[in-house]
Amino acid sequence: MEVGAVGAMRYVKDGIKAARLVMQHTEHTLLVGEKASAFAISMGLPGPTNLSSSESIEKWAKWKANNCQPNFWKNVLPENSCGPYRPTSYLEHTDETCLKTYAMQTTDLRFLDLGHRIHDTVSMAVIDRMGHIAVGTSTNGATFKIPGRVGDGPIVGSSAYANEEVGACCATGDGDIMMRFLPCYQVVESMRLGMNPELAAKDAIGRIARKFPDFMGGIVAVNKKGEHAGACHGWTFQYSVRSPGMKDVQVFTVLP
């Protein structure tokens, strides 16, 4: 039950280290935005640093040239091709054809290229020799996200959760959907009630899929004995395992 997290943090590369510093040196759970960056730097992490790469700059330029499509906006009209955006309900006497055109541009097209390919999440669960369990998640977030967006990475119980009496869980996918269900908390509590890791993972994924059949996500569950399993929806999911008795990492593929 020791937790630390940061979100919407810019100019500091080591997000997972910043989260650990929040856990170790504050009474808080979550710091966000520029103050999270200032905290991390004040605690000795390198920064401020320009984290843009030539690849990310090129991707951004192409996105801007495509009128900032796809994106995560809905039910809005842009004042120009890239906003600012305003809710359609606020606009009066709008031409009906124009309304339909721009509403489609800022909603339907967001699904054109948004999926698991835009994620770069790394989530890990570790059990040490004493049986202590720790989890951590680090991510750059969803490509083309609206500035200020915080995904499920720093949300306790969503992308990761651990309880030394039971086990742990890691997850990745459509964080805006998954955080509504706290799937990793659900997995750990299901294992507490007697489910094995496979059933617990499938149950948590199923709860989301029944409400949001188009979502994409994957979960890995591991109990305190080291037994593990994965479950996913919408894409083929892979996770890796390493234990002291293994010579190398073993990769497991989970089908939806």
Side-chain angles (χ1 to χ4, degrees):
M1 305 308 292
E2 288 293 322
V3 181
V6 293
M9 186 180 71
R10 306 177 71 184
Y11 310 120
V12 177
K13 182 178 181 179
D14 299 315
I16 197 73
K17 289 183 179 179
R20 184 179 178 88
L21 289 169
V22 172
M23 180 182 72
Q24 291 177 320
H25 300 294
T26 81
E27 297 290 341
H28 300 312
T29 296
L30 173 63
L31 300 181
V32 299
E34 65 177 77
K35 296 303 181 182
S37 302
F39 165 82
I41 294 169
S42 73
M43 297 300 289
L45 296 185
T49 304
N50 182 358
L51 302 180
S52 296
S53 65
S54 57
E55 180 184 2
S56 67
I57 292 173
E58 181 181 1
K59 182 182 294 186
W60 176 83
K62 290 180 178 179
W63 178 71
K64 290 280 286 188
N66 194 41
N67 296 324
C68 299
Q69 300 296 325
N71 61 43
F72 285 89
W73 291 94
K74 65 180 183 180
N75 304 322
V76 295
L77 289 174
E79 290 189 359
N80 57 57
S81 61
C82 287
Y85 298 90
R86 301 192 183 282
T88 54
S89 59
Y90 286 5
L91 302 178
E92 298 178 355
H93 310 298
T94 304
D95 178 78
E96 190 70 22
T97 303
C98 179
L99 176 64
K100 289 181 179 179
T101 300
Y102 279 104
M104 179 182 296
Q105 190 176 46
T106 55
T107 56
D108 293 351
L109 290 185
R110 69 177 285 266
F111 298 106
L112 188 63
D113 191 37
L114 301 180
H116 68 276
R117 290 169 294 178
I118 66 172
H119 290 271
D120 59 356
T121 302
V122 176
S123 192
M124 181 179 293
V126 178
I127 306 175
D128 71 10
R129 295 175 182 176
M130 302 298 294
H132 302 308
I133 304 176
V135 291
T137 298
S138 182
T139 180
N140 191 48
T143 304
F144 313 127
K145 58 184 175 288
I146 297 171
R149 181 255 189 187
V150 175
D152 72 327
I155 305 304
V156 179
S158 186
S159 70
Y161 195 75
N163 186 304
E164 291 187 357
E165 299 175 356
V166 183
C169 168
C170 298
T172 184
D174 188 345
D176 290 293
I177 298 299
M178 297 180 77
M179 75 170 79
R180 307 176 193 189
F181 294 82
L182 296 181
C184 276
Y185 176 79
Q186 181 65 56
V187 163
V188 173
E189 287 304 298
S190 292
M191 291 194 297
R192 183 198 299 275
L193 295 175
M195 282 191 186
N196 63 38
E198 182 178 6
L199 288 178
K202 288 182 177 179
D203 173 71
I205 284 289
R207 290 169 185 255
I208 306 173
R210 285 192 290 273
K211 290 288 187 180
F212 296 93
D214 294 328
F215 103 99
M216 290 183 287
I219 286 177
V220 176
V222 56
N223 63 23
K224 63 181 181 180
K225 295 184 289 185
E227 299 168 337
H228 57 87
C232 61
H233 183 83
W235 54 301
T236 298
F237 179 67
Q238 290 185 315
Y239 70 96
S240 60
V241 175
R242 180 76 182 265
S243 65
M246 299 169 60
K247 293 183 178 181
D248 200 358
V249 170
Q250 184 174 359
V251 178
F252 293 83
T253 300
V254 183
L255 301 177

